[in-house]
Amino acid sequence: MRRYSPRLRRLLLVLLLVPATAGAQSVTAGSLRGTILSTTGEPLAGVQLTVEAVEGGRTRLLESGRDGGFAIALLAPGAYRILAEQVGFQPVRRSGVLVSAGQATSVTITLERRPPPITAATEIDEPGATAGSAIGRLLAGREIHGFDYRRDVTNLSRGITEVDAPRDGRDGFAAAAAGLRPGWNRLFVDGVPELLLRHPGVPSDPASAPIFDRDALDQVQVMSTAVDAEWRGIPGVLLGAQSRQGAKRLQVTPYATFSSAKLGGQSEQNPGDSSGTSLQLGATLTGAFVPDTAHFMIQGGYQSLQLPSANPWEQDSANYLGQRVSLRATIPSIGVDSFGTPVGRYAAPVVRTWKGGNGLGRVDWQLSDANAVMVRLGFASWTENSPLLGRDASNGSGTSLKGRDISGAFGMTTTTTSLANELRLGFSAARREWLNPAVTATQLVAEGVAIGGRPALPGFFDSKTFSVSDALQLTTGPHQLKVGADVDFTSYLQNYRYGATGSFRFGDLDGFGAAEGTYYQTVLVTGAPKFTTSEPAVFLQDTWTASPEVQVLLGLRYETQFLPKNKITLSQDWLDLSGIRNDNTPKDRRGISPRVGFVWNVQNRSEWIIRGGGGLIRSGLEASTFAEALLFDGGVTVRRGQGSFPSWPGEPSSALAPDQGPALTYFTDDYRAPRTTKGDLAISRSLGGGALLQVVGSYRHTDFLLRRIDQNRVQSSVAETQEGRPVFGTLVKQGGMLSAEPGSNRRFSGFDQVSALAPTGFSDNYEVTASLDRRVTRGLSFNASYTFSHTRDNLVGALEPDPADQLSPFPEGIGVAGWDESRSDLDIPHRVAATLEYRTAGATPVSVAARYRWRMGIPFTPGFRSGVDANGDGGGNNDPAFLDAGIPGLNEALTRASCGDALVGAFAPRNSCREESLQSLDLRLSVALPVKASGDRRVALTVDAFNVVSSKTGLVDRALVLVNPNQALGGQGTAAVTSPLFGNPRFGTLLSRRGEPRVVRIGLGIDY
């Protein structure tokens, strides 16, 4: 057994124990506390404790107090081993103890009396109970490194149920979280805010962060409610990561993986017979400049990924000139014969590619006993070809994305006898450039297919954020006071307009051949907006240890947002016509945000832990929304055309597509910052053997979300259909498409759509998650979770990129009252995820693992094919179908698509149908080779098989009814319009596949 001098012990006790309670409130460091007991339950004093970091090998020495307790504060997140030694007792080494940021990990170690000689310690592999103000999911160890389909931190959401991960082949953190769209989630690394930027104009697009590779991270937390007042106000979910620190000894952990579509691929997902070759290479280097004083970590990687895709559409046959033909053959033929334009690439499957690299480095330096600094710097650069984007029907051929991220952080921690101070600086830059092919975005409405570019492209987005935060903590008796301030400065540039390069819509294949359809384009008049915002905040918090079992947190945070004034130009013409100003700059009205939390460690035995927390969260205006108002203040005009366009795919003349006037976007004068009320309650039970059962209940209600209202739509409907649907313009039928005659739905002819952004939106979400985890270094490990959730809101079209599709089809006072307030687009009631791994003992362990996921389908509203504007309001994707009992097969179709709430004889309720549920199974085999790497680690051969079992997924046909191309509109030009409709026999089936193919991957790396 190791022995240390009394002088050294006293020094270590001063350094480790004096600032213990103050450090427990850090959002970047954790704390460790515990109790040493005898087998009879009596506390043992003077027990010698050695706390060793598994990753870095650094140790800390201390002794248990008179009550048998011990504590270490400001402890770096990671896995630790605790060796407890006392003369006359059997030593115990407890492994797998996880310390996480912002949390206090509690352990209880029982020592058994035993006379000498003692030759070995008893090994116990249990993680300990974690308690703290942040309630959520902790991912560490093999949970981070296993099943790394993509290597960045955001891909970790695939193995949990707290958020709904992307399900259609897109990459990123979450398609939905806390009942809100992806843009409301935030990423923090080492306590510093980082940018999560994808395409702000496509609200459904999840964002990834390639700069933060999993190998460069030690832990990741998915937090639903961040109670600590130091955290910024976040309405969604907070993804908090801690970067990896250096080690005492030089360690190199390289990896290399290879996969191909030829290895176990599926022909239906690879009809183009692509090789699908993918390669991932990288390494992490850790070590010390000065042992026990200055450590470093350097990580770098390169990825070249190829993902084969399915055919652009599932149903290949269509009618053309009275005959049944193949779309794959006929569309290219029309393109060449009628327009002299080759378009075959858009009718064939493509290969999506991702190529790029990243690097990240970190240095930690203990300047003195009281002062430590951390510096981190990283970058990532990549290119994607034919990436998926939203629910656009195009196969993406010819589109591309160039991305670049830069991140830097500096932290300095100072601790004295009763004070602790943490200063953090951060810089984050993200740049995204989306490009379109030469062929203009073109949609064939009746067939539900698209070729060419996308209306949401091109786009250029550049954002930079500099943040400063400082938190001073004072310990006085049972109280831990924290006071601080932070400020974020953001520079933002957005050059994006929906329909910037034009968008054609043809009613069907016949219309395409005859070039009969509609055209829409937004034309830039002034330059793209660039501006800077600032968000300062101050906070005050008290953590009161009411008893050894109970801790209570009370906090107040005040934050606001300053937007640049006089940036929005007044449209005098609009003011003269409507009497409404469009130059209102939102004033942030957040106010004080109270937060409260408690932790009850029942009987202080770390077996039952009950935690609760909640507060009022106020968040600022999104930069992309402000940029839209700056650009659409008269700086954009709209061209619309309806008729024949023989110049396709070129831009039509001004005679065929005349200027309709400016499109405006402005904030109403009653703007208020979004406000979220959050509350969580968690009950944890340590089951022994390293297993932990936890049940978490959450409730969130968000108010003052922005909704779009068209202030230039005619004030009342001009007609009604046979269903009683209000119509706001003169409907024109072209094949299988309905659209409004340009200008006929406008209140003032000199303007196109005028969007007023009003704070009348809400989201109401509650969730319950039950999880069971067992983390051990050998034997059977598992984590399984189930989440039930329910979300209601009134955010019609919240995931649609076209501003017109975000309008309510039934404005206030017209049509169906309360139709908007219903099941959310992001309501996913049931989600299941389970991972099991068995790992053998010995010097060359073998591990076998499996991950299974099941998720309920996404809700949708039964309506028409995208592009059918049934009410003439300008939106071709926001009208519900009327459930006409006279449509043959209607009930069968509704049942097939799980439309349980639909009521025949009325308009279909919003989101009353649901797509099919999804499942997937991933497998992994890892065999450690008799080849030693750095330290005790060995090189391992791994074989991963992703999506061994998977469900078909993609774009679902949401059209319950179709427009009959062979019949004309009835009553056109009168107050009673009859639309020729018939039932869609393919309702609820796939229009095109959009998912992840089966991938078998072989790799060499370091055994974790």
Side-chain angles (χ1 to χ4, degrees):
M1 297 295 106
R2 287 174 285 182
R3 296 291 184 265
Y4 303 93
S5 68
R7 182 178 180 182
L8 178 59
R9 288 186 179 280
R10 285 194 297 270
L11 176 60
L12 289 169
L13 282 172
V14 169
L15 296 180
L16 297 178
L17 295 181
V18 167
T21 51
Q25 294 186 73
S26 172
V27 297
T28 58
S31 62
L32 175 64
R33 63 186 181 185
T35 305
I36 310 299
L37 302 175
S38 68
T39 54
T40 59
E42 298 176 352
L44 296 178
V47 176
Q48 300 169 15
L49 300 168
T50 303
V51 180
E52 180 183 11
V54 173
E55 180 67 24
R58 295 185 296 275
T59 58
R60 296 196 178 191
L61 313 174
L62 62 156
E63 292 183 353
S64 60
R66 286 179 294 180
D67 59 352
F70 66 92
I72 304 177
L74 291 177
L75 193 59
Y80 289 84
R81 289 186 287 259
I82 305 173
L83 175 63
E85 303 171 283
Q86 176 74 296
V87 176
F89 289 84
Q90 170 66 30
V92 171
R93 180 182 287 107
R94 183 158 177 175
S95 303
V97 177
L98 285 174
V99 174
S100 58
Q103 306 280 24
T105 299
S106 301
V107 297
T108 300
I109 299 177
T110 301
L111 297 184
E112 181 183 0
R113 289 190 177 273
R114 177 165 295 181
I118 298 174
T119 58
T122 300
E123 300 288 343
I124 299 176
D125 191 0
E126 292 189 16
T130 300
S133 57
I135 300 174
R137 185 65 173 268
L138 173 65
L139 303 172
R142 295 199 297 274
E143 290 175 292
I144 290 181
H145 300 288
F147 295 112
D148 52 345
Y149 187 76
R150 295 289 184 96
R151 295 197 61 86
D152 72 272
V153 59
T154 59
N155 193 252
L156 288 167
S157 62
R158 295 173 183 271
I160 62 177
T161 60
E162 283 79 357
V163 302
D164 182 47
R167 54 179 69 201
D168 57 3
R170 287 181 289 176
D171 184 41
F173 174 54
L180 296 171
R181 56 182 172 81
W184 287 113
N185 304 313
R186 296 291 183 268
L187 170 65
F188 284 77
V189 180
D190 301 320
V192 174
E194 301 288 343
L195 290 171
L196 267 179
L197 184 63
R198 181 69 171 173
H199 189 313
V202 183
S204 66
D205 240 33
S208 59
I211 194 171
F212 297 108
D213 190 283
R214 300 187 190 197
D215 280 1
L217 303 176
D218 189 82
Q219 287 183 0
V220 178
Q221 295 183 69
V222 181
M223 291 181 279
S224 56
T225 300
V227 175
D228 195 303
E230 192 173 348
W231 290 113
R232 274 77 162 174
I234 298 168
V237 168
L238 186 151
L239 180 64
Q242 302 297 319
S243 60
R244 190 171 166 186
Q245 297 190 39
K248 278 185 175 181
R249 298 179 299 274
L250 187 65
Q251 295 183 354
V252 182
T253 54
Y255 68 87
T257 67
F258 171 81
S259 62
S260 168
K262 306 301 183 182
L263 297 175
Q266 297 165 293
S267 59
E268 61 268 26
Q269 291 285 5
N270 186 20
D273 196 27
S274 164
S275 65
T277 302
S278 297
L279 183 68
Q280 296 172 315
L281 300 169
T284 304
L285 177 67
T286 59
F289 297 117
V290 181
D292 298 322
T293 301
H295 301 82
F296 69 88
M297 181 278 298
I298 301 174
Q299 179 274 328
Y302 172 79
Q303 297 184 84
S304 176
L305 308 177
Q306 293 185 357
L307 293 177
S309 65
N311 288 307
W313 43 79
E314 288 282 287
Q315 180 73 12
D316 186 52
S317 62
N319 289 323
Y320 181 58
L321 301 179
Q323 296 183 354
R324 205 68 179 165
V325 298
S326 165
L327 285 171
R328 296 189 187 98
T330 307
I331 287 178
S333 177
I334 292 175
V336 173
D337 296 344
S338 300
F339 306 103
T341 302
V343 295
R345 62 188 297 189
Y346 307 108
V350 299
V351 177
R352 307 198 310 268
T353 66
W354 195 107
K355 292 185 178 181
N358 73 289
L360 191 73
R362 170 171 171 158
V363 174
D364 293 89
W365 196 335
Q366 190 72 38
L367 300 176
S368 66
D369 294 340
N371 298 290
V373 299
M374 179 277 291
V375 178
R376 172 175 53 79
L377 183 64
F379 77 94
S381 179
W382 71 96
T383 300
E384 293 183 62
N385 289 318
S386 305
L388 291 175
L389 185 67
R391 296 187 301 189
D392 193 288
S394 169
N395 69 351
S397 179
T399 64
S400 65
L401 165 65
K402 295 181 180 179
R404 186 184 68 196
D405 285 349
I406 301 174
S407 175
F410 170 84
M412 182 171 184
T413 302
T414 302
T415 58
T416 64
T417 305
S418 58
L419 290 174
N421 189 79
E422 291 182 281
L423 171 67
R424 284 188 289 272
L425 309 177
F427 172 77
S428 182
R431 177 190 176 105
R432 305 288 186 268
E433 184 177 9
W434 296 83
L435 299 177
N436 232 356
V439 174
T440 307
T442 302
Q443 183 180 355
L444 308 185
V445 173
E447 288 77 14
V449 305
I451 61 174
R454 288 166 167 156
L457 299 183
F460 180 81
F461 310 92
D462 193 312
S463 184
K464 302 178 181 67
T465 295
F466 176 72
S467 63
V468 182
S469 65
D470 188 81
L472 177 66
Q473 304 178 43
L474 169 67
T475 300
T476 169
H479 294 275
Q480 301 166 29
L481 302 176
K482 178 159 67 170
V483 60
D486 56 67
V487 59
D488 299 333
F489 301 96
T490 300
S491 172
Y492 191 78
L493 171 63
Q494 175 171 303
N495 186 2
Y496 165 71
R497 310 175 312 280
Y498 184 83
T501 56
S503 176
F504 287 97
R505 279 177 176 168
F506 299 107
D508 48 28
L509 200 56
D510 285 337
F512 177 45
E516 290 284 343
T518 66
Y519 179 78
Y520 170 82
Q521 184 183 16
T522 54
V523 181
L524 183 66
V525 177
T526 60
K530 183 178 182 180
F531 58 92
T532 301
T533 66
S534 61
E535 296 185 60
V538 294
F539 54 87
L540 173 65
Q541 180 174 293
D542 177 27
T543 304
W544 171 41
T545 303
S547 72
E549 298 181 32
V550 179
Q551 192 176 66
V552 179
L553 181 148
L554 297 173
L556 294 175
R557 180 179 177 88
Y558 176 82
E559 53 190 338
T560 189
Q561 182 182 45
F562 293 105
L563 299 168
K565 297 181 179 180
N566 303 320
K567 280 277 190 176
I568 303 176
T569 302
L570 174 67
S571 173
Q572 188 63 48
D573 290 342
W574 173 253
L575 178 62
D576 293 341
L577 289 171
S578 65
I580 302 173
R581 299 183 67 94
N582 72 298
D583 60 346
N584 174 51
T585 298
K587 294 181 180 179
D588 199 290
R589 302 173 182 174
R590 296 198 215 179
I592 296 176
S593 300
R595 304 186 186 182
V596 61
F598 73 90
V599 178
W600 178 21
N601 188 346
V602 180
Q603 296 181 348
N604 203 28
R605 297 184 62 87
S606 304
E607 294 178 351
W608 285 95
I609 293 181
I610 301 174
R611 293 179 290 166
L616 196 61
I617 308 298
R618 303 178 189 270
S619 48
L621 178 67
E622 292 179 288
S624 59
T625 304
F626 189 66
E628 180 188 340
L630 264 61
L631 184 61
F632 285 78
D633 62 353
V636 173
T637 62
V638 174
R639 298 180 61 201
R640 293 185 186 270
Q642 194 175 67
S644 179
F645 303 102
S647 62
W648 183 93
E651 185 177 307
S653 67
S654 58
L656 295 177
D659 190 345
Q660 301 296 305
L664 301 180
T665 298
Y666 66 89
F667 301 96
T668 59
D669 55 10
D670 60 346
Y671 171 84
R672 295 190 65 180
R675 178 186 65 187
T676 303
T677 303
K678 288 188 174 185
D680 288 344
L681 179 65
I683 302 175
S684 303
R685 172 67 166 116
S686 178
L687 302 177
L692 179 69
L693 174 65
Q694 180 172 264
V695 178
V696 180
S698 304
Y699 174 74
R700 305 170 188 86
H701 180 84
T702 303
D703 285 317
F704 309 128
L705 295 172
L706 293 177
R707 301 178 69 206
R708 193 178 297 268
I709 303 170
D710 189 356
Q711 295 284 41
N712 198 32
R713 183 168 55 187
V714 292
Q715 290 184 299
S716 60
S717 60
V718 297
E720 274 191 1
T721 67
Q722 73 272 23
E723 312 155 314
R725 185 190 310 273
V727 178
F728 299 95
T730 301
L731 289 181
V732 176
K733 179 179 174 296
Q734 295 172 298
M737 177 174 64
L738 296 175
S739 60
E741 180 183 313
S744 65
N745 55 0
R746 297 300 168 206
R747 179 184 176 193
F748 303 112
S749 61
F751 289 86
D752 199 75
Q753 181 174 310
V754 177
S755 297
L757 302 180
T760 57
F762 78 91
S763 173
D764 197 74
N765 167 266
Y766 58 83
E767 294 186 352
V768 177
T769 297
S771 61
L772 180 62
D773 296 85
R774 185 175 191 261
R775 296 184 176 102
V776 292
T777 55
R778 296 291 185 269
L780 182 65
S781 298
F782 56 80
N783 60 76
S785 64
Y786 163 74
T787 296
F788 169 79
S789 69
H790 180 64
T791 306
R792 288 179 59 88
D793 62 28
N794 61 348
L795 305 174
V796 176
L799 303 180
E800 298 297 332
D802 186 350
D805 291 336
Q806 300 169 16
L807 302 173
S808 170
F810 304 113
E812 184 178 355
I814 301 176
V816 179
W819 184 87
D820 298 356
E821 298 184 14
S822 187
R823 178 185 293 160
S824 168
D825 297 352
L826 301 171
D827 178 63
I828 315 292
H830 304 288
R831 303 187 291 269
V832 175
T835 301
L836 288 87
E837 179 181 14
Y838 182 79
R839 185 179 179 89
T840 64
T844 56
V846 176
S847 68
V848 180
R851 179 177 68 181
Y852 177 77
R853 294 175 291 159
W854 181 89
R855 291 168 289 172
M856 202 168 187
I858 297 172
F860 67 92
T861 304
F864 302 84
R865 282 278 165 79
S866 177
V868 174
D869 185 6
N871 69 344
D873 66 349
N877 205 28
N878 66 337
D879 295 310
F882 184 83
L883 306 183
D884 187 350
I887 297 178
L890 177 72
N891 287 326
E892 292 80 359
L894 294 174
T895 301
R896 185 172 62 247
S898 302
C899 306
D901 297 334
L903 179 64
V904 175
F907 285 100
R910 178 171 168 246
N911 289 324
S912 53
C913 297
R914 192 173 290 278
E915 297 178 6
E916 292 186 4
S917 59
L918 301 180
Q919 65 173 342
S920 63
L921 175 66
D922 305 327
L923 301 176
R924 180 180 177 89
L925 171 66
S926 176
V927 180
L929 304 178
V931 179
K932 274 196 173 183
S934 303
D936 297 329
R937 291 180 172 176
R938 293 183 178 272
V939 176
L941 173 68
T942 61
V943 179
D944 293 293
F946 298 98
N947 302 306
V948 175
V949 176
S950 61
S951 303
K952 290 196 303 183
T953 183
L955 296 182
V956 171
D957 192 346
R958 303 183 174 192
L960 178 64
V961 292
L962 303 176
V963 178
N964 192 328
N966 301 317
Q967 294 182 15
L969 280 175
Q972 192 170 13
T974 68
V977 178
T978 301
S979 299
L981 306 175
F982 67 98
N984 178 15
R986 293 184 54 83
F987 172 64
T989 63
L990 289 183
L991 288 172
S992 64
R993 295 195 185 196
R994 300 291 168 86
E996 297 170 349
R998 181 187 299 158
V999 174
V1000 177
R1001 189 181 68 185
I1002 301 173
L1004 283 174
I1006 302 301
D1007 181 44
Y1008 280 90

